[in-house]
Amino acid sequence: YTLDISYNCGYDINNMVLASKFVSDSLKSLGYIKDDNPKYFKKLSIQKDEELEKGKVKVVIKYHYE
């Protein structure tokens, strides 16, 4: 799977890395993914998007089936 995170809030980009960990842990605990190791977690993309409403974060999850 891949995570594409866009944000428009006061957080630094390194804080958004922590958000990716929370998303991955939730996906695993809910049974959507087997694990968040490199075999399954293929890519993380984080960017500031000033077109998003102020204070918002958008996470796009893409699954890659084997």
Side-chain angles (χ1 to χ4, degrees):
Y1 69 101
T2 63
L3 295 179
D4 297 316
I5 301 176
S6 302
Y7 68 99
N8 189 14
C9 54
Y11 298 123
D12 295 329
I13 196 165
N14 57 327
N15 293 99
M16 300 313 297
V17 171
L18 186 57
S20 73
K21 180 63 176 159
F22 293 144
V23 171
S24 291
D25 288 349
S26 295
L27 290 171
K28 184 177 176 185
S29 69
L30 292 169
Y32 288 109
I33 60 172
K34 290 183 182 181
D35 205 337
D36 59 358
N37 66 36
K39 178 179 178 182
Y40 301 104
F41 193 173
K42 302 294 185 184
K43 181 181 170 190
L44 171 62
S45 172
I46 303 173
Q47 60 277 333
K48 183 163 180 112
D49 182 353
E50 297 196 7
E51 292 185 17
L52 282 176
E53 184 180 338
K54 190 78 171 164
K56 297 293 181 176
V57 175
K58 178 175 83 171
V59 179
V60 176
I61 304 162
K62 297 177 185 172
Y63 293 99
H64 304 278
Y65 299 98
E66 297 177 352

